[in-house]
Amino acid sequence: MSAIQLGVEGVTKRFGGLTAVNDVSFALGQGDILSLIGPNGAGKTTLFNLLTGQLAATAGKVFFDGADITHYRPNQRARLGLGRTFQISQTLTSLSVLENAMIGAFLHHPRIADAADKAYAALERVGLASRAKEEAGHLTLGERRRLEVARALGLEPRLLLLDEVMAGLNQTELARIVDVVVALNASGQTIIVIEHNLKVVRTFSKRVLVLDRGKMIADGGADSVLQDPVVVEAYVGKKKQ
Amino acid sequence: MDQFFNVVALGMLLGGTYALVSVGLNLIFGVIRIVNFSQGEFLMLGMYGAYLGYSTMGLDPYAGAFIVVPALTLLGMVVYWLVMRPLQNEPMMQVFASFGLLLLIQNVVLAITGGVGMSMNTPFSQVTLTIAGVQFSATRLIILLAALVAAGGLGLFLAKTNFGQAIRAVAQDRMAAQLMGINVERTFMWSFGIGTGLAGLAGVLLTPIYTLSPQIGGNFVMAAFAVVVLGGLGSVLGALVGGFIVGLTEAFAGYYIDPELKHAVIFIVFIAVLLIKPSGLFGQAGAEEVGLREQS
Amino acid sequence: MSNLDLAQSGALGDSRLAGRRGAAEVWTVANELPTFFAVVAAIGLAVYLLSNQFFYLNLLTMALLFGGLAVSWNIIGGFGGQFSIAHSVFFAIGAYTAGNLYKHFGVSPWIAILPAMLLSAAVAAIVSWPVFRLRGPFFAIATMALTEVAIAFAMHWKAVTGGASGLTIPYRAGLENMIFQQRWAYAALFLGYLAVTLLTSIVILRSRLGYYLQAVRDNDKAAEASGIPIMWTKLKGMAISAALTGIGGVFFMMYVRIVEPAGLLSLFDVGVKIALIALIGGIGTIYGPLLGALILVPLDYWLRAFMGSAVPGGNLIVLGLILVLGSLFMKKGVAGALRQVYRAWSRQQ
Ligand SMILES: Nc1ncnc2c1ncn2[C@@H]1O[C@H](COP(=O)(O)OP(=O)(O)OP(=O)(O)O)[C@@H](O)[C@H]1O
Ligand SMILES: [Mg+2]
C-alpha cells in the first residue's frame, strides 16, 4: 500500500433541499488512479468542486497529505498540488492556446520563458502544440477539453482530477487522452477521473467509485463493481431506460 | 427632542423617495444584472415629461403620470432592445453603454431646454400636515405612499402573476428558465421597461418638490445604488427598507455631522454592507455573485 | 570522432531546442522594445516640430497626459477587466500631494512623486479590497460612489484643497520645481510620463502578473483553479494603476498650477474620459489607450469649441453617442479595428 494522499471524510453538500453529495468517504493512495462514475446528476462534479474548493462543504472534511484543507481556497489547493479540469471547459478566450496552458505553468515557473516551455510541453502531450499560437476561442469543444488538461498538467499537480475530459472526443483524440492518462499514472501521478464510458474506465482503472444521488454506493475493483447488481441497477439500468 | 423627530420625519420622507427610485433600479439590477447608470436620467425624463404635460396641456403632474409612465416604459424597452440586449454577456460594455446613455439623455435635454431651471406646482404643493409638532409636506407624503404602493404592487406582481414568476425564475437562473421555455430576452425587455417606467413615476412625483434640471438624476442614482446593495439584489422589500435606511442615514448625517458629507456617509454605509453582508439585508445569499449559476 | 561529436551536439542541440520551443512562441518585453522606442521617438519628433506652435503643442501635451492616464487605467481596466471610473480620485491625490508639499513645505515635485504614488496606491487598495471580493458590476458602482465622496471631501477639506476656489501654487520657474518657461518642456515632461506608463504596461503585460490579470478577467474560475490568488492579483493591478495615475496628477498640478475639486474630480472630464479614451483606442492593448488619447483629446477640444458653443451640451451629446456606439460596434477600439484590417491584408498577400 502506498501512502495516503487524499482523505475524504463524510463530505456532504446541500443546495437548499437537494443533497448533491451525501456523506461520502474514501481515501486515495499516492500514485493511484480512481474512476468516479455515476448517472447524470449523481454529484460527481459537485464532489470535485468540494475537493478542489470551488464549493464549500456543508459537512465533512478533506485531507491532502495529512493536512486538513477543508477551508482552503481553490488557489491554495492548487498550490498544494490539486490540479483539475472543468466539465464545461473554462477557456480563456482572449488568450492564445499556449498562453492558456501557461496560466497553469506559471504556478511553479514565474518566469515567462520557463512557463512557456512547460506549457508547450503540456500542449505536446495532449496534441495541441501545432495550434499553440492560435486564439483559444477558436478551438473546437474537443480541443478545449484537451486544453483544459494541458492547463491542469502545467500546474504539475500531485493529484490530477479530470472531469469527463473524454466526452465528445473522436476516436483518435480519445486514444490520445487515454494514453496520456495511462502514461501519467505509470509515471506515478495520482489521478481521479470522472468518466461515463465504462469501456474506457475498464482499460485504465483498477478501482472504481460509484455515486448515485449523492451517495457512494460502491467502491472497489473495476470488475467486481461494474458487475455489482446495485451499481447495474443504479447506473447501467438507468442508462438503458 | 422635537428636532430629533423632525429629522426622523425628514429621513422617512427622503427614504420614501429613495425607495421609489430604487425599486425600478433593483428590478433591472436584480433580474438582468445590468448596472444601469442611466436610471437617474429616466427619472429626469419623467420630471420633464410631467412638466411638458403641465405647460402644454395644463395637465396636473399627478395626472401626467398616466402618460409619462407608459411612455418611459416603452422607451426603456426600446433602449434595452437596441443597446443592452446586444451586450448581454459583456458587463464592461454595458457599463460603458449605460454611461453613454446617461451623457446622451442628459445633454439632449440640456440642449433642448437650454438648461433653464423650471419648477411647477400642484394644488398639494403648499399643503403641510402637522402631526405632534412634526411637519410633513403633502407632496412628500404622496411619494412615501407611492413608494409603498409601487413596492407592494411590484411584489404582488412578481409573486402572483405568471409573468412575474417568469421574471423571478429568470433572475434566479437564466439557463434553467430558458430550458423551462421562458423567453428570457422578452422577460429582460419587460423588466428593463418596468424599471425605467418606475423611475419615470418617481420623476413625476418629484416634480412638485425639486427644481427641474438635466443633471438632477445624479442626485438620486448614487443613493439608489446604495439602497439596492443595502436592501439586497432583486428584493423588493429590500429596496423599500434600504430606501428608508439610506434616507434616515442621510437626514441624520446631514443634520448632526455636516450636510456636505452626507454622501460620504452613505458611501461608508455602502462599503460596510458590502463587507458584512454582501448579499444585502434581504437579498438571496450568493446573489452578489452576479451572473449565471455556477456550472462546472 | 569529429563526426560523432557533430552528431551528438546536433542531437543535443535539437533536444535543447525542443525544450525551449515554448519560449520561442511567446512575446517578451525585449520583443516590445523596438516598437516602444519608435513610438516615443516619433512623438518626441512631433514635440520638436511643434515647439513653436503653441496651440498644437498644448493640444499634444494634453493628449500625452491623457494618453498616460489611459495607459495607466488600462492596467486594471483593460488587462484586469475591472472597470474603474474613479481614476480621477488618484489623479487628484497626486495633484494635491505635490501641490501641498510644494506650497507648504517647499518639497520638489520630483520628490513628491513617491508619496503621491504611495498614497494613490494605498487609497486604491483600501477602497478596492471590499469590493473586489464580489464579482460583477459592484466595482464600477463603488468607484462612482468613491468619486462622489472624494468631491465631498475635497470641498470640505479646505486646508488641503482650497475648497471650491481651488489650490494655487506660485510660479517659480526651474527644473527642480518642475515649472518651465518654455511650453515644449511640458510636452517633453508629459512624453516622459507617457513613456513611463507605457513601459510599465509592457513589463506587466509580458510578465506573470499580466497573464494573471488577463486570466482573472477572462475567467476567474479557471484562474483560481490554476493557483492564482484572485484578490491579490486585482489589488496589485489596481495599486500599480492608481500609482501611475497619481504621477499624472503630480505633473498636471505643476503644469496648470491651479486645481479645483470640480475640475480635478469631474466624473466626465476625468474619470469617465480616461476610460472612454481607452475604449476608443482599444482596451487591453498596449498602444490602444495612447491612440485613443491622440484621437479623443483633439476631438473633444474641437467639439467643445464648435458644438458646445452652438448647442449647450452638444459636445457631450457626441461623446455619449460615441460611447454607446463604440461599446456596441467597436469593442476592441481603433487598435482592434486596425489589427483586423492588417490581418485581412496579410492574408491576402
Ligand atoms: N450550484 C448549484 N446549485 C444548485 N444545485 C446544484 C448546483 N450544482 C449542482 N447542483 C445539482 O446537484 C446535483 C448534482 O450535480 P452534479 O453536477 O454534481 O452531477 P454530476 O454527477 O456531475 O452529473 P453529470 O454526469 O451530468 O455531470 C444535480 O441535481 C444538480 O442540479
Ligand atoms: Mg458533472
Side-chain angles (χ1 to χ4, degrees), chain A residues 6-12 21-28 34 36 47 50-51 59-63 207 209-211 214-220:
Chain A
L6 176 75
V8 180
E9 288 180 7
V11 160
T12 299
V21 172
N22 194 352
D23 195 19
V24 169
S25 304
F26 68 95
L28 192 64
L34 167 74
L36 183 57
L47 181 58
L50 297 175
L51 297 182
K61 279 187 174 6
V62 181
F63 295 91
R207 182 178 167 199
L209 198 152
V210 190
L211 278 185
K215 278 237 167 253
M216 195 172 87
I217 56 170
D219 176 8

Side-chain angles (χ1 to χ4, degrees), chain C residues 43 47 50 54-70 91 183 186-191 193-194 248 251-253 255-256 259 263-264 269-270 273-274 277 289-290 292-301 304:
Chain C
I43 299 175
V47 171
L50 293 176
F54 288 162
F55 173 76
Y56 292 107
L57 194 64
N58 281 344
L59 212 51
L60 181 62
T61 306
M62 284 318 274
L64 293 178
L65 167 65
F66 273 93
L69 293 174
F91 185 62
R183 301 309 284 175
Y186 286 106
L189 183 71
F190 284 115
L191 175 58
Y193 172 58
L194 175 75
F251 288 8
F252 182 72
M253 179 81 238
Y255 178 53
V256 293
V259 294
L264 210 49
D269 285 339
V270 185
K273 195 153 133 194
I274 295 174
I277 286 171
L290 168 61
L294 292 175
I295 296 169
L296 208 85
V297 169
L299 179 72
D300 186 42
Y301 175 83
R304 242 176 242 269

Side-chain angles (χ1 to χ4, degrees), chain B residues 29 35 37 83 87 90 92 95-97 99-100 102-104 107 111 222 258 260 267 274-275 278 289 294-296, chain C residues 77 83 85 130 133-135 137 141-142 144-145 149 152 156 221 268 283 311-313 316-317 320 323 327-328 331:
Chain B
F29 202 14
V35 191
F37 281 111
V83 179
L87 300 176
E90 289 165 284
M92 183 117 147
V95 171
F96 271 119
F99 242 107
L102 181 155
L103 274 181
L104 194 61
N107 290 289
M222 199 48 245
D258 186 332
E260 277 180 4
F267 179 71
L274 286 180
L275 274 175
E289 298 258 312
E294 295 286 307
Q295 308 271 344
S296 39
Chain C
F83 184 100
I85 44 181
R133 297 195 317 165
L134 313 172
R135 283 199 266 168
I141 302 175
M144 184 160 115
V149 174
H156 186 74
K221 198 156 97 181
F268 295 112
I283 286 179
V311 186
L316 292 175
I317 295 179
L323 255 180
S327 50
L328 278 172
K331 301 183 174 88

Side-chain angles (χ1 to χ4, degrees), chain B residues 6 26 50 73 100 113 129 132 135 144 154 178 188 197 206 208 210-211 259:
Chain B
N6 266 320
N26 202 2
T73 305
T113 63
L129 287 82
Q135 288 201 339
L144 184 59
L154 189 64
Q178 200 146 28
F188 280 178
L206 288 172
Y210 289 89
T211 303

